[in-house]
Amino acid sequence: MVVISGDGADKTVSTNIHSRPFAAVLSNAKLIVLPDIGHMVHHAVPELVVAEIGAMIGMIAPGRAAAN
């Protein structure tokens, strides 16, 4: 499991209230915290989000992750 979060000044989602505790309760979670980005990480760094999804798919079903 991967949790990607921005640590920018976000009034909607707080990394310390939401992302860090969520990742802490997941076994083997990978937490990626991006500086100066809000909660819309999929808009700010779509290539990172797609790469992390592909990596998770590759771990679950080797050979099925989309090649980029």
Side-chain angles (χ1 to χ4, degrees):
M1 174 67 71
V2 177
V3 178
I4 305 173
S5 178
D7 77 348
D10 194 322
K11 295 180 193 268
T12 304
V13 179
S14 167
T15 301
N16 290 331
I17 294 172
H18 300 100
S19 304
R20 290 184 195 282
F22 180 59
V25 299
L26 299 172
S27 60
N28 301 317
K30 175 181 176 182
L31 174 62
I32 301 172
V33 179
L34 305 169
D36 303 320
I37 294 178
H39 70 277
M40 301 289 279
V41 295
H42 57 290
H43 288 289
V45 286
E47 65 285 346
L48 173 68
V49 174
V50 169
E52 290 297 330
I53 291 170
M56 283 193 316
I57 292 170
M59 291 172 53
I60 295 167
R64 295 200 179 190
N68 292 325

